[in-house]
Amino acid sequence: MTAAVPDRATGMDEPRPRGALSRLIQDANDRGLSYAKMSQRAVDPETGTKLSKPYLQRLVTNPPANAPSPTQLKALSGALNVSERRIKAAAAEQWLEYTATELAGYNDEVRIIVGHLAGMPESELRRWRAMIEADERARRESD
C-alpha cells in the first residue's frame, strides 16, 4: 500500500510506502472497520485521551512527522483491538526505523545476547552460530 506524496524536485506525486502503524490502521479499515467506529473505540482508558476520525485518517494518508504519544498509542490499541505492545512496535518501526523482536519467556541475559547479535554483520553471525552449535555438539557428546 502506498500514499501519493509530492516529489519536491518535480512536483509529481510519487508513491510512498506506508509505515507499519499506518498499515495496521489501513488493514483494519480494509477489513470493514470504519474510521468513525475506530474513533468511537479510540479512548485511552487511563487518561480519557480520544482520537478523532480525521486524526486516524491522517495517520494513514499523511502521517505526522512525530509518532503519536503513549496515550494516543493506548487509544489506538483500543480502536483496533490490537495489543498495546503490537501498536508500540508498529510505531517504533514507522517513526524510529526500529523493528522490535519479541523474546517472551527468556531472561535478560538472553535478551542482551540476542540484542548484540542482531546488530552484527552476516559473517559475524555465522561465526557465532558455528561456535554455539559446536558447544552444543560437545555437550551432547560428553553426556
Side-chain angles (χ1 to χ4, degrees), residues 97-135:
E97 297 179 6
Y98 174 79
T99 303
T101 302
E102 180 63 36
L103 291 173
Y106 294 99
N107 65 25
D108 286 339
E109 294 301 318
V110 172
R111 288 188 190 102
I112 289 167
I113 292 166
V114 171
H116 285 290
L117 292 173
M120 289 184 181
E122 188 65 33
S123 60
E124 284 292 304
L125 287 174
R126 284 193 300 271
R127 188 172 71 84
W128 277 93
R129 181 176 181 168
M131 288 188 298
I132 292 167
E133 289 173 347
D135 180 68

Side-chain angles (χ1 to χ4, degrees), residues 1 17 28 33 37 44 56-58 64 68 71 77 87 98 101 134 138:
M1 290 178 209
L33 182 60
K37 184 68 173 173
D44 173 26
L56 293 166
Q57 290 170 320
R58 183 173 163 232
T71 57
S77 175
I87 295 292
Y98 174 79
T101 302

Side-chain angles (χ1 to χ4, degrees), residues 16-92:
R16 177 178 70 184
R18 288 212 174 106
L21 186 63
S22 296
R23 284 192 310 271
L24 277 178
I25 297 166
Q26 183 64 55
D27 290 347
N29 185 250
D30 290 346
R31 288 190 310 273
L33 182 60
S34 71
Y35 287 107
K37 184 68 173 173
M38 282 184 225
S39 178
Q40 290 172 357
R41 294 167 39 172
V43 179
D44 173 26
E46 294 174 20
T47 65
T49 298
K50 298 178 182 181
L51 303 180
S52 68
K53 176 183 169 183
Y55 179 75
L56 293 166
Q57 290 170 320
R58 183 173 163 232
L59 283 173
V60 173
T61 60
N62 188 21
N66 297 316
S69 70
T71 57
Q72 289 172 314
L73 293 174
K74 288 178 187 176
L76 271 171
S77 175
L80 302 178
N81 196 27
V82 172
S83 73
E84 191 177 329
R85 172 173 271 147
R86 185 166 175 209
I87 295 292
K88 287 180 178 180

